[in-house]
Amino acid sequence: MNANMLSFDEAYEKLLGFVRPVREIEQVDTMFAAGRVLAVAQHSTINQPPMDNSGMDGYALRAADVPVAGTRLPVSQRIPAGNVGHELAPGTAARIFTGAPLPPGADSVVMQELCEYDGDDVIVNTVPRLGEAVRRMGEDIAVGDLILPAGLRLTPQAVALAASVGLAQLPVLRRVKVAVFSTGSELVMPGAPLPPGGIYNSNRFMLRGLLAALGCEVEDFGIVPDRLDATREVLRRAAEGHDLILTSGGVSVGEEDHVKPAVEAEGSLDMWKIAMKPGKPLAYGHVHGAAFIGLPGNPVSSFVTFLMMVRPFLLATQGVREVAPASLMLRADFDWPRPDRRREFLRARMNAQGGVELFANQGSAALNSTVWANGLVDIPADTAIARGEAVRFLPYGDLLY
């Protein structure tokens, strides 16, 4: 490996070391808290369930009153969910429905499929176990239990849990504010005629979508002309009120690449060569208090570098505690006989047979590979893969949201 090239892990740790997490806290309705990052740990102030209740539709009774299958008991009351019954008389049963409070005196519930209703009586065709089909008060959550830790990115199930213990609002960290812009006279927006030498601006759409999926507030400064003065002026505006300025392309040293000198003139810039493929070039710096990250211009390189580098940076900035993506060890349904000195992230798809197959064209401009794939295969540097070996697979589901 080139002595000036950082390993993937070195660059990853270096980038995370620059993170300055947001501190401002907002109170939001629990209904709208999904996707936000919890600022303060939440503890339950109630038991869940709040009372002993029935786990199914059936009959509440005393288990001792049913010594044999076929025992007949008079039905003394009916308890729908949301209602409270009275004390169960010995030798009787209560018709009860899922979630309804268990009446005092009852200790078990027999599901209705194991009973027969006969006039005002029920015939219980099984010998119940003590406590059968009863959900005990506090068996899921007890008063004082930690239910949601600080630094958790709230999922729909997490906000459901908060609602289940009566939390109408949650304290969350403010959204991370990101400014994006594109540079390049060759860039054309879809819908406009494509001139000779022009290309449609795909990275702008991709980056906005990736940022939105991570819950960022995004301000798009459009396409900037290939002029140093114009680039500096946009950088100054983009730094105002934003935590991060994100660009793709334009940070090399060509005569028409003005991002690098513009960032250096307005702040500071460090150019990294990372031993990863696709990717390699990454720029990090600061512009008037805002962080700056410049991604490579090739669309696949920009996509992969965002997922593996920018995503954890943004999550950590949001206050998320665990930023590493989940991975699976799966069978390689491919051969990769020529190892690279760099760590490789290959566009791949988990198949119905439980293996992983590769997109045929792994070039950094093959944007259709990112759509065909449902994840990335992580190949360590200098590693060949033979069909049937286990490989580390990073599903998009843990990379894009």
Side-chain angles (χ1 to χ4, degrees):
M1 188 187 301
N2 188 313
N4 296 322
M5 191 175 291
L6 296 172
S7 72
F8 175 86
D9 289 334
E10 288 171 336
Y12 183 89
E13 294 301 323
K14 188 174 182 179
L15 188 62
L16 289 185
F18 290 124
V19 168
R20 292 179 293 182
V22 298
R23 301 297 183 191
E24 299 88 342
I25 297 175
E26 303 170 350
Q27 291 287 336
V28 301
D29 289 348
T30 301
M31 181 70 75
F32 307 108
R36 303 297 296 271
V37 178
L38 191 65
V40 180
Q42 299 297 296
H43 295 78
S44 181
T45 58
I46 66 169
N47 291 306
Q48 190 58 264
M51 79 296 285
D52 291 353
N53 70 87
S54 178
M56 59 185 60
D57 294 349
Y59 294 87
L61 44 75
R62 290 176 171 83
D65 288 340
V66 187
V68 295
T71 297
R72 179 184 290 266
L73 298 174
V75 178
S76 59
Q77 57 183 305
R78 184 176 185 274
I79 313 172
N83 291 263
V84 177
H86 52 78
E87 185 164 358
L88 187 71
T92 70
R95 179 72 167 115
I96 197 166
F97 296 86
T98 304
L102 201 68
D107 57 28
S108 306
V109 174
V110 179
M111 63 190 303
Q112 62 188 15
E113 290 81 359
L114 298 177
C115 300
E116 298 175 47
Y117 193 65
D118 184 21
D120 293 331
D121 296 340
V122 62
I123 300 170
V124 184
N125 293 318
T126 186
V127 177
R129 293 176 288 103
L130 183 65
E132 182 173 340
V134 175
R135 298 187 294 209
R136 296 296 181 189
M137 180 179 69
E139 70 175 22
D140 184 24
I141 301 167
V143 171
D145 280 355
L146 172 68
I147 59 166
L148 298 170
L152 175 70
R153 191 161 182 238
L154 294 166
T155 59
Q157 58 269 35
V159 296
L161 180 60
S164 77
V165 298
L167 298 177
Q169 290 191 320
L170 290 170
V172 298
L173 293 163
R174 71 160 173 83
R175 296 186 187 275
V176 172
K177 300 174 182 179
V178 182
V180 294
F181 66 84
S182 307
T183 64
S185 300
E186 76 280 9
L187 297 177
V188 180
M189 287 296 289
L194 195 62
I199 58 172
Y200 285 121
N201 188 349
S202 60
N203 281 354
R204 182 179 183 185
F205 291 82
M206 177 177 65
L207 294 179
R208 285 190 60 143
L210 290 168
L211 291 167
L214 289 177
C216 299
E217 284 186 13
V218 183
E219 185 172 0
D220 190 338
F221 286 80
I223 300 174
V224 180
D226 276 330
R227 299 197 324 267
L228 179 60
D229 63 335
T231 307
R232 290 185 63 177
E233 190 272 331
V234 170
L235 280 172
R236 288 192 294 269
R237 288 195 292 121
E240 294 179 7
H242 293 95
D243 302 293
L244 173 67
I245 303 169
L246 183 66
T247 65
S248 62
V251 290
S252 60
V253 293
E255 292 181 8
E256 298 300 319
D257 294 321
H258 298 295
V259 175
K260 181 178 183 293
V263 173
E264 290 174 330
E266 297 294 332
S268 62
L269 187 69
D270 192 3
M271 297 288 294
W272 301 346
K273 292 182 179 180
I274 306 173
M276 65 179 291
K277 182 181 179 182
K280 192 176 179 179
L282 182 75
Y284 179 81
H286 284 92
V287 177
H288 301 299
F292 173 87
I293 296 180
L295 297 173
N298 280 326
V300 176
S301 298
S302 185
F303 176 72
V304 172
T305 307
F306 182 98
L307 296 184
M308 304 312 302
M309 290 289 179
V310 181
R311 173 188 174 273
F313 180 89
L314 285 170
L315 290 178
T317 303
Q318 290 173 348
V320 176
R321 302 286 175 86
E322 299 292 334
V323 301
S327 62
L328 303 170
M329 294 304 295
L330 299 176
R331 182 190 67 246
D333 287 348
F334 62 88
D335 291 302
W336 195 250
R338 291 181 293 277
D340 197 282
R341 60 178 181 157
R342 295 168 290 174
R343 185 165 169 179
E344 298 183 86
F345 296 92
L346 310 177
R347 276 78 67 210
R349 182 163 65 188
M350 184 167 55
N351 57 36
Q353 294 72 43
V356 177
E357 54 195 72
L358 297 182
F359 190 76
N361 180 1
Q362 291 291 323
S364 60
L367 190 55
N368 57 334
S369 67
T370 64
V371 177
W372 176 91
N374 56 23
L376 303 173
V377 168
D378 180 0
I379 306 292
D382 301 311
T383 302
I385 301 296
R387 187 179 298 269
E389 291 183 353
V391 292
R392 182 171 180 249
F393 180 71
L394 306 171
Y396 277 169
D398 290 293
L399 289 173
L400 298 178
Y401 308 102

